[in-house]
């Protein structure tokens, strides 16, 4: 008897289903579980990266990172470590197949229909593989679950969330939940994710970005030192140097390390740099402004085109 009955990939920000396995089950309990899965998918941004919830005779699991989440409906007998190993593998396969831009631009449900067959094959494989064949991966995931247990979402939580989505009831988020949500968006540390090797053009963009950051810092500090007894009009110019300095440094970080919501952060940093340099018109000539903005665009392009490295399987899966 199969233990993983259904699996799907959804977009984090709005719960849009991107791809899913073929649905062979039409019992009342299973259809009710599917309904709760859809409701939960709309609220995944409120929860940490791993979690589960009861769904009648079934259990729903989810694992999310960046702008993609993988979800599965399983039997109660299915070990949690095995399900999260399956969801993690599914996440790596999907993010290796499609870049962030394609995922963000998807406008209709199941836009990546061709990936359905891969989900189906992977689901079949995990349902028939023996525990001994993937013992090392299961042990690793089990250790992670013991260190940081997955969140348990109750049926009441999903019902409240469903009311919020349909505009029927206000939802009160506990301070811890609000903190978790913001942490998921702004957290830049993802030590388990490996990026593709840096390119020569990427190294050039880093060098130019560091040069721009240094120029902004030097000019900003110099202007601040000579403006202590000057009218406060200079404060805007000082900030126009220092904010792009911080943005340039953060652009370097985004290129070197994986970060959730990377596209949004890249656009914000680019906006700060462009606005800062436009504001400095008069203190900088046109060519200097174009140089700084050009470097910012080059760095943004390099960040968005450097993808996650496909995970190397070490479990025989």
């Amino acid at each position: 008897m199969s233990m993983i009955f259904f699996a799907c990939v959804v977009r984090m920000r709005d719960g849009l289903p991107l791809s899913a396995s073929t649905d062979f089950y039409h019992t009342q309990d299973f259809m009710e579980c599917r309904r709760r899965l859809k409701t939960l998918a709309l609220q995944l941004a409120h929860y940490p990266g791993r979690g589960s919830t009861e769904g009648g005779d079934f259990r729903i699991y989810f694992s999310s990172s960046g702008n993609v989440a993988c979800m599965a409906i399983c039997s109660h007998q299915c070990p949690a470590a095995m399900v999260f190993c399956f969801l993690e593998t599914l996440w790596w396969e999907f993010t290796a197949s499609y870049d962030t831009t394609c995922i963000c631009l998807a406008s209709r449900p199941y836009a990546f229909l061709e990936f359905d067959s891969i989900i189906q094959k992977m689901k079949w494989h995990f349902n028939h593989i023996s525990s001994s064949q993937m013992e090392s991966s299961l042990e690793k995931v089990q250790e992670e679950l013991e260190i940081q247990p997955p969140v348990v979402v109750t049926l009441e939580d999903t019902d409240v969330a469903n009311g919020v989505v349909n505009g029927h009831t206000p939802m009160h988020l506990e301070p811890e939940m609000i903190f978790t949500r913001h942490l998921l968006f702004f957290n830049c540390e993802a030590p388990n994710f490996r990026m593709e090797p840096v390119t020569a053009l990427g190294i050039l963009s880093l060098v130019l970005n560091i040069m721009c950051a240094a120029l902004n810092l030097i000019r900003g500090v110099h202007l601040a030192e000579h403006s202590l007894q000057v009218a406060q009009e200079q404060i805007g110019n000082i900030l126009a140097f220092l904010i792009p300095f911080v943005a340039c440094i953060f652009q370097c970080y985004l290129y070197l390390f994986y970060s959730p919501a990377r596209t949004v952060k890249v656009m914000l940093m680019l906006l700060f740099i462009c606005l800062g340099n436009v504001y400095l018109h008069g203190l900088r000539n046109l060519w200097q402004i174009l140089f700084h903005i050009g470097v910012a665009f080059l760095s943004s392009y390099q960040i968005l085109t450097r993808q996650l490295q496909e995970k190397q399987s070490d479990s025989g899966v």
Side-chain angles (χ1 to χ4, degrees), residues 37 73 80 108 119 132 186 217 267:
L37 182 144
I73 298 177
R108 59 182 176 83
I119 300 179
S132 59
F186 289 106
L217 180 62
M267 293 299 105

Side-chain angles (χ1 to χ4, degrees), residues 29-67:
D29 286 344
F30 182 79
M31 298 308 294
E32 176 65 17
C33 192
R34 281 288 306 273
R35 184 187 70 80
R36 293 194 179 278
L37 182 144
K38 292 179 180 178
T39 300
L40 181 60
L42 297 172
Q43 296 296 319
L44 286 178
H46 296 164
Y47 300 108
R50 286 174 175 168
S52 66
T53 181
E54 297 290 335
D57 294 332
F58 305 93
R59 186 182 293 271
I60 302 172
Y61 291 88
F62 63 86
S63 179
S64 61
S65 181
N67 59 349

Side-chain angles (χ1 to χ4, degrees), residues 47 60 86 93 113 195 266:
Y47 300 108
I60 302 172
F86 163 74
E93 288 290 337
L113 189 64
M195 305 292 291
V266 168

Side-chain angles (χ1 to χ4, degrees), residues 85-317:
C85 188
F86 163 74
L87 293 177
E88 180 183 343
T89 305
L90 184 61
W91 185 92
W92 277 105
E93 288 290 337
F94 186 83
T95 54
S97 301
Y98 306 100
D99 59 30
T100 304
T101 304
C102 292
I103 295 171
C104 291
L105 294 179
S107 58
R108 59 182 176 83
Y110 307 105
F112 305 100
L113 189 64
E114 65 278 4
F115 193 76
D116 294 6
S117 60
I118 297 178
I119 300 179
Q120 196 70 16
K121 292 176 183 178
M122 193 177 299
K123 181 169 70 74
W124 183 92
H125 190 67
F126 270 82
N127 280 334
H128 294 83
I129 194 173
S130 63
S131 299
S132 59
Q133 290 179 274
M134 52 185 306
E135 183 177 356
S136 61
S137 291
L138 289 179
E139 288 179 354
K140 178 183 178 182
V141 174
Q142 187 61 49
E143 290 177 0
E144 293 175 356
L145 296 180
E146 291 175 358
I147 296 173
Q148 187 174 6
V151 65
V152 178
V153 183
T154 65
L155 297 182
E156 290 76 14
D157 292 336
T158 57
D159 288 337
V160 171
N162 190 39
V164 173
V165 171
N166 290 288
H168 299 313
T169 179
M171 183 175 182
H172 173 70
L173 291 178
E174 295 296 330
E176 294 83 2
M177 190 66 72
I178 297 175
F179 174 76
T180 300
R181 183 179 183 183
H182 284 80
L183 183 63
L184 286 172
F185 183 83
F186 289 106
N187 181 31
C188 295
E189 296 183 9
N192 292 327
F193 297 149
R194 281 190 172 185
M195 305 292 291
E196 292 177 347
V198 297
T199 62
L201 190 57
I203 295 175
L204 176 62
S205 71
L206 284 175
V207 173
L208 293 175
N209 223 340
I210 293 172
M211 181 189 303
C212 290
L215 291 173
N216 286 323
L217 180 62
I218 293 171
R219 291 291 302 275
V221 172
H222 180 77
L223 188 61
E225 290 176 346
H226 290 76
S227 302
L228 295 178
Q229 299 179 348
V230 181
Q232 294 186 352
E233 291 85 16
Q234 294 292 342
I235 294 179
N237 292 332
I238 296 172
L239 292 177
F241 280 117
L242 296 183
I243 292 177
F245 158 72
V246 175
C248 288
I249 295 299
F250 195 55
Q251 275 194 329
C252 293
Y253 188 91
L254 289 174
Y255 179 74
L256 294 173
F257 303 101
Y258 173 79
S259 174
R262 185 171 50 166
T263 302
V264 176
K265 295 175 183 177
V266 168
M267 293 299 105
L268 282 175
M269 296 306 104
L270 181 60
L271 179 63
F272 290 151
I273 294 173
C274 291
L275 291 178
N277 280 276
V278 171
Y279 186 87
L280 291 172
H281 182 64
L283 293 179
R284 279 180 172 157
N285 60 43
L286 180 60
W287 290 109
Q288 290 173 326
I289 294 174
L290 290 178
F291 173 75
H292 282 265
I293 293 178
V295 171
F297 271 96
L298 175 62
S299 298
S300 300
Y301 175 78
Q302 289 300 308
I303 295 169
L304 295 176
T305 55
R306 190 181 182 212
Q307 300 298 321
L308 286 170
Q309 193 173 45
E310 186 173 358
K311 184 182 178 183
Q312 299 299 320
S313 175
D314 58 354
S315 59
V317 176

